Structures are given as C-alpha cells and as structure tokens.
Amino acid sequence: MSEVTAATPRRLLVVWHSFTGATRSMAQALVDAAREAGGNGLQIDLLHAAEAGADDVLAADAVVFATPETLASISGAMKDFFDRSYYPLLGRCEGKPYALMVCAGSDGHPTIAQLQRIATGLRMQEVAEPILVCTHAQTAEAIAAVKQLPEAELERARELGALLAAGLELGIF
C-alpha cells in the first residue's frame, strides 16, 4: 500500500502598510476572500511592510503589495521594505506573479507606476490590473482621519483575492 502525501499548499504573500486603516482593510478583504476560495490548498501570509523581507517574497508563489500613496509615492514603510529586499531579490524572482493595491487621497497613479517599475526591475509578472481606491481626502484632517472604505471598494479587493487563490490553485500562476 502506497503512502499518500498531501500536496504542499501554494503561498500567497500580502505585504502591506497603512496609516489610516484604509489600505489595511483592503489587504484584509483580499486575504479573507483568498482564504475562503483557496481553502487548505493556500497558505496566506499577511505581513506588515516592516516585518516582511526578501525571504518572505522568495517563499511565496505570488505577492500582493498594498500601500497608501504618500506625497505621490509609496509609503515610507513600503519603501523601507523595498530598500531592504530589492537587491537580495534581484535575479531571484523572475516571473513571480504579483498584484498591487493602492489607496490614495487624490491620484494614486504615480504610486502604481513606481511599484510597477520596481516589479519590472525584479522581472516579476503582473497578473491583475492594480486596484486603486481614491478617498478624495484633501485637508490635513481628512488625510489623517481613520478611513472606512465603501463596500464596493472592499469587494474589488475580495475579487482580487479570489482571483489569486484560483490562479494559484489551478497552476495558472
């Protein structure tokens, strides 16, 4: 009688940073949907940018980067993550699937472009359109305020989570 071994679960890494809770809620919505869709065949690591590193990216089968836009750029914590991880990852994650989520006050496109440039340098493969949520916060008070995102925006994150789980399960990426 042969011994049956369980397949190693696929791994999804979500590296996130948030100041006001909006990006964190997007990341959590994505993770919840991916966990539901992926079941036991998917291991999900939800790591704050300050806790994540190159080894986490290398161990993952797919990665999501989720950041607020700060002064038309990725947040400082996300930049620190890339400052610590970029060169250790260089030449080691070609073709690794990735997706982006950005929460911005007014634009977000410069942040998406910056993240795409970083991922292109690492030769990663974008597997979904970036999710951009614009809160339209324009005053100092509105920018710093705790954010509750509309359900429709969280649903977009859930859809991405389900898509990533399905793609990993089916071996598409």
Side-chain angles (χ1 to χ4, degrees), residues 12 30 61-65 95-100 116 119 123-131 159-161 163-168 171-173:
L12 174 62
L30 179 140
D61 295 298
V63 183
V64 175
F65 301 110
K96 187 175 293 279
Y98 81 94
L100 306 174
Q116 288 171 326
R123 307 295 187 257
M124 297 176 82
Q125 178 184 351
E126 190 173 50
V127 294
E129 287 293 318
I131 293 178
E159 289 171 3
L160 178 57
L163 170 84
L164 292 170
L168 288 168
I172 296 169
F173 36 82

Side-chain angles (χ1 to χ4, degrees), residues 18 21-30 101 147-149 154 157:
S18 185
T23 307
R24 173 70 164 98
S25 65
M26 291 168 58
Q28 189 63 57
L30 179 140
M101 295 193 305
K147 309 277 186 308
Q148 297 292 325
L149 294 180
L154 295 175

Side-chain angles (χ1 to χ4, degrees), residues 78-154:
M78 190 64 73
K79 181 168 183 324
D80 174 70
F81 162 76
F82 284 115
D83 285 346
R84 290 181 288 106
S85 302
Y86 187 86
Y87 291 108
L89 291 173
L90 198 57
R92 299 177 70 195
C93 55
E94 287 90 351
K96 187 175 293 279
Y98 81 94
L100 306 174
M101 295 193 305
V102 172
C103 186
S106 59
D107 187 351
H109 292 97
T111 301
I112 289 171
Q114 182 182 24
L115 287 165
Q116 288 171 326
R117 280 192 308 275
I118 292 167
T120 296
L122 293 171
R123 307 295 187 257
M124 297 176 82
Q125 178 184 351
E126 190 173 50
V127 294
E129 287 293 318
I131 293 178
L132 172 59
V133 174
C134 193
T135 65
H136 304 287
Q138 296 300 303
T139 65
E141 295 79 16
I143 291 167
V146 173
K147 309 277 186 308
Q148 297 292 325
L149 294 180
E151 187 60 32
E153 300 295 1
L154 295 175

Side-chain angles (χ1 to χ4, degrees), residues 15 19-20 30-31 39 43 47 55-56 63 77 112 125 137 141 145-146 150-151 156:
V15 179
F19 289 110
T20 64
L30 179 140
V31 165
Q43 177 182 332
L47 296 179
D55 289 341
D56 299 304
V63 183
I112 289 171
Q125 178 184 351
E141 295 79 16
V146 173
E151 187 60 32
R156 293 172 56 213

